Amino acid sequence: MRRGLAAGNWKMNGTGASLSEIEALKAAHPDPSVEILICPPATLVERMSAVAKGSAVAVGGQDCHAAEAGAHTGDISAAMLTDAGATHVILGHSERRADHGETDANVRAKTEAALMGGLVAVVCLGESLDEREGGKTLDVIGTQLAGSLPDAITGANTVIAYEPIWAIGTGKIPTIEQIAEVHDFIRAELVKRYGAEGEAIRVLYGGSVKPSNAAEIFAVENVDGALVGGASLTAQDFSPIITALENA
Ligand code: PGA
């Protein structure tokens, strides 16, 4: 059985004042049956880790560099995230792929660095609207999956997030059948490549997940949780999503 994971991606949002949301999540979910993860901007990782200490809320980064250290202005390494208290890192988010030109090969190298550094990698994949409308979704996802993942991953150290780019921050979501089709495809590809371990790797759905649609998404087989942007910024929105996953 795969344990559910409710993950929040704060993107470039949040300052010290936002840490009260973590206090509220801790109070609302003292002993959840699923894992809870919040990935704040790098400036908040250490402070959030201190606030979350001893609770069920894990803290992650939103990116890390593929190198261990060196002349890379503005970047952070896996070891720096670990040192600040992070246990996870999001890699290959479509906004990083678009804004920073990250390729599948970059994402794979970053994933290797994250695993070496002892972090759980949350590797993101997803098709554009053009690719969806052109009937290329499964081809695109297959290519990203093959190129972005290292050869030796496990259910304990890697999570996949399927996030159709056109559903991110738009309020549009795929139909339940479309979500099921892609998640079943990813599961089959993972089992083909990693054998039994492919059954243990969690596959999250991301893109406009909200309290109002979470339960029907979590009812889909092979959806093991969600990566949530906008609705993870407040405990008021994120808490019912966590509860929906516990009840799935
Ligand atoms: P959204 O973002 O929930 O705001 O659509 C999801 C994501 O980008 O991870």
Side-chain angles (χ1 to χ4, degrees), residues 9 11 93 95 163 167-170 206-209 227-231:
N9 172 11
K11 308 189 179 183
H93 190 281
E95 288 152 16
E163 302 201 299
I168 294 176
T170 58
S208 296
V209 176
L227 180 56
V228 184

Side-chain angles (χ1 to χ4, degrees), residues 2 9 16 20 35 44 59 63 65 108 119 125 132 156 179 189 191 245:
R2 295 179 295 269
N9 172 11
S20 61
E35 288 175 30
L44 280 182
V59 178
D63 176 53
H65 199 278
R108 177 181 171 139
L119 294 166
L125 319 163
R132 163 67 65 182
I179 294 175
E189 292 293 297
V191 170
L245 186 58

Side-chain angles (χ1 to χ4, degrees), residues 14-16 32-33 35 40 49 53 69 80 83 85 97 100 108 112 119 130-131 136 146 150 171 198 225 231:
T15 57
S33 59
E35 288 175 30
S49 298
K53 203 170 175 159
M80 290 168 189
D83 181 53
R97 291 178 186 260
H100 300 270
R108 177 181 171 139
E112 281 166 353
L119 294 166
D130 270 2
E131 289 161 344
K136 300 198 192 98

Side-chain angles (χ1 to χ4, degrees), residues 6-8 10 21-22 24-25 28-29 36 38 208-215 218 226 228-245:
W10 280 15
E21 302 299 335
I22 304 306
L25 280 181
H29 304 278
I36 302 171
I38 300 288
S208 296
V209 176
K210 300 194 173 3
S212 56
N213 60 22
F218 295 149
V228 184
S232 73
L233 293 173
T234 64
Q236 193 186 336
D237 284 337
F238 198 47
S239 181
I241 294 173
I242 296 167
T243 304
L245 186 58

